Amino acid sequence: MNLMEHMGIESDRIHFSWISSAESTKFVKVVKEVTEKVKALGPQQHFKKNDAKVA
Amino acid sequence: MLDYIDKIKEISERLLKDCSVEMVIGFRKGTLPMMNEPCFARTPEDVGQFVWDSNCGINLANYLTDRKERIGIVAKGCDTRNIATHIIENKISREQLVVIGVPCKGMIDKHKIATLFADEIQTVTENGEKILVTAGGKETPLNKSDVLQKNCAVCTHRNPVFYDELAAEKVEEQQDVDRYADVQEIEAMDTQEKWDYFESLLSPCIRCYACKNACPLCYCPTCFVDEAKPQWVGKGQDPTDVRTFHFLRAFHCAGRCTDCGACERACPVGINMRVFTKKLEKDCFEQFGWEAGMSLDERPPLDTYRPNDPNDFIK
């Protein structure tokens, strides 16, 4: 994760969490946090391959 | 460093003569200046080809993977650390090896020297701290300390970590070096700058894989870049694929890289891909107090669990 951040991927795009199958509320909380942070950053421009242009 | 060679030859010859090893791995002169190549001496006569100078930057631990015979190996500080990593990872056993330790004063950077001259370099000779370069018929003296490989300039383990024979008196370790100045420089950038830095760093990459072939850690029978089912990474020159290759290769070296500089040295276009591995080396040192290959008894951080392992990133 440090290396991802080091080479220019926003750290808010990378999340790690440990959630038990019994922790539904924690799961919802984490998913909300992740989506909020990623939405705030906008679409990822790097590390993404565009489809080949077909004439 | 030049005077080490007599002792290296003497030890190698003795080992081969009394049959305690079947071959000794050392260096011989390459066909181009600053390009010493590995030499596998199987008879005492072969030993005559051995050389030792400031162009022995190749990491010879690379040639030990899965060998079955008894081997003598000429090893600098970083080589011994990689040999230790090989032993820990069961790629060779300690009993098979006779390590001829060579205290090292650093290797010279062939990329850097080549950029200093417009003409092709014909010969490079050295005398202590002076390097004499002949290019375009003109001789130019250089200070060795100015043209050291970047990793050698900040090396703090010049002496072999373990050895059976020693080719010379141990040298003084460098004390006042800032090992991670280059990593810190990148850490200080903002996200976009970091991305752009690596983008321009990798733009000349031709995916020749010289870096992974020179690396003693890259011994997988099939590398992830060569697999087709599934195909983990595209095989072309797409910047995303190039980045994925370098980035994942670095991760595979986490906690194992000794910063020997073999990858950078092997690169035909002079990319400093050490900035990837160096960051992981720094993280391992700071988070786990780990330096690869310093001991044969300690397991590396990635295959041990300790209750105080840093885990702040898990929410």
Side-chain angles (χ1 to χ4, degrees):
Chain A
M1 176 184 164
N2 281 342
L3 185 61
M4 292 283 271
E5 202 268 322
H6 188 64
M7 64 168 206
I9 300 285
E10 297 90 341
S11 56
D12 277 354
R13 290 193 194 277
I14 313 155
H15 298 262
F16 291 86
S17 192
W18 184 266
I19 310 170
S20 150
S21 57
E23 294 178 304
S24 55
T25 35
K26 184 176 176 189
F27 179 76
V28 171
K29 184 172 154 272
V30 170
V31 170
K32 275 189 177 151
E33 270 174 26
V34 171
T35 44
E36 264 168 34
K37 288 199 165 156
V38 175
K39 266 186 189 157
L41 285 169
Q44 162 76 309
Q45 300 301 330
H46 301 320
F47 238 142
K48 157 181 153 188
K49 273 169 99 171
N50 297 316
D51 289 337
K53 281 190 188 120
V54 183
Chain B
M1 292 223 296
L2 293 177
D3 45 339
Y4 294 180
I5 189 60
D6 295 333
K7 186 82 178 160
I8 294 175
K9 282 183 180 169
E10 180 211 309
I11 297 168
S12 311
E13 216 171 322
R14 170 159 48 79
L15 293 173
L16 285 165
K17 265 190 187 142
D18 65 17
C19 293
S20 48
V21 298
E22 283 170 54
M23 85 175 164
V24 178
I25 309 180
F27 288 94
R28 69 173 167 215
K29 202 116 203 94
T31 45
L32 291 169
M34 301 187 283
M35 295 277 260
N36 285 354
E37 57 189 30
C39 178
F40 305 87
R42 290 182 178 275
T43 63
E45 291 75 51
D46 293 342
V47 169
Q49 298 179 55
F50 277 1
V51 295
W52 188 267
D53 55 26
S54 297
N55 303 304
C56 298
I58 293 174
N59 193 328
L60 294 181
N62 200 15
Y63 301 94
L64 294 179
T65 311
D66 292 333
R67 300 299 303 206
K68 300 288 178 249
E69 69 268 60
R70 285 184 56 86
I71 297 174
I73 181 163
V74 177
K76 310 178 287 291
C78 48
D79 297 4
T80 57
R81 293 174 63 197
N82 277 106
I83 295 169
T85 307
H86 255 59
I87 295 170
I88 288 175
E89 295 173 358
N90 296 324
K91 286 287 125 190
I92 189 111
S93 73
R94 179 70 183 92
E95 294 71 41
Q96 273 172 273
L97 294 175
V98 178
V99 177
I100 306 168
V102 184
C104 172
K105 287 181 188 161
M107 295 296 151
I108 53 176
D109 186 338
K110 66 186 170 76
H111 295 303
K112 190 171 183 180
I113 293 177
T115 55
L116 294 176
F117 297 92
D119 298 302
E120 193 190 346
I121 293 169
Q122 277 124 14
T123 59
V124 176
T125 52
E126 61 182 280
N127 184 6
E129 292 305 303
K130 287 276 178 237
I131 307 284
L132 207 59
V133 181
T134 317
K138 263 208 322 267
E139 277 191 349
T140 317
L142 298 170
N143 284 325
K144 182 172 167 181
S145 54
D146 297 334
V147 291
L148 276 181
Q149 276 186 194
K150 287 194 270 312
N151 61 313
C152 296
V154 295
C155 173
T156 53
H157 298 291
R158 295 176 143 189
N159 289 306
V161 175
F162 66 102
Y163 50 85
D164 301 298
E165 309 260 358
L166 208 53
E169 291 285 307
K170 287 194 176 180
V171 294
E172 205 179 321
E173 295 288 1
Q174 305 191 101
Q175 299 294 339
D176 303 318
V177 286
D178 185 359
R179 283 163 65 188
Y180 299 119
D182 47 350
V183 183
Q184 278 151 358
E185 214 170 279
I186 302 172
E187 280 170 345
M189 297 178 186
D190 72 28
T191 306
Q192 187 59 41
E193 281 173 339
K194 283 177 183 170
W195 183 268
D196 296 340
Y197 173 84
F198 283 99
E199 209 67 353
S200 70
L201 175 84
L202 296 179
S203 60
C205 180
I206 53 171
R207 296 282 292 274
C208 68
Y209 300 143
C211 45
K212 88 173 163 74
N213 291 339
C215 179
L217 303 173
C218 281
Y219 56 62
C220 294
T222 310
C223 178
F224 72 98
V225 295
D226 296 324
E227 288 192 334
K229 272 187 178 176
Q231 187 180 317
W232 306 107
V233 54
K235 294 175 194 295
Q237 298 272 104
D238 188 289
T240 303
D241 294 329
V242 175
R243 170 92 62 132
T244 307
F245 160 60
H246 283 283
F247 165 67
L248 281 183
R249 196 189 82 83
F251 261 132
H252 290 178
C253 301
R256 308 163 68 220
C257 178
T258 59
D259 200 24
C260 70
C263 47
E264 187 185 358
R265 183 183 180 83
C267 183
V269 290
I271 296 172
N272 177 16
M273 66 289 286
R274 281 176 45 250
V275 289
F276 286 98
T277 47
K278 193 80 188 285
K279 167 68 177 165
L280 289 167
E281 200 223 337
K282 175 170 179 273
D283 285 352
C284 274
F285 184 61
E286 286 174 353
Q287 300 188 10
F288 303 98
W290 172 260
E291 287 182 286
M294 296 305 290
S295 142
L296 293 175
D297 312 311
E298 215 178 325
R299 296 301 306 175
L302 285 185
D303 76 1
T304 39
Y305 168 74
R306 272 183 270 158
N308 60 349
D309 280 345
N311 61 357
D312 301 336
F313 65 96
I314 300 174
K315 288 180 209 104

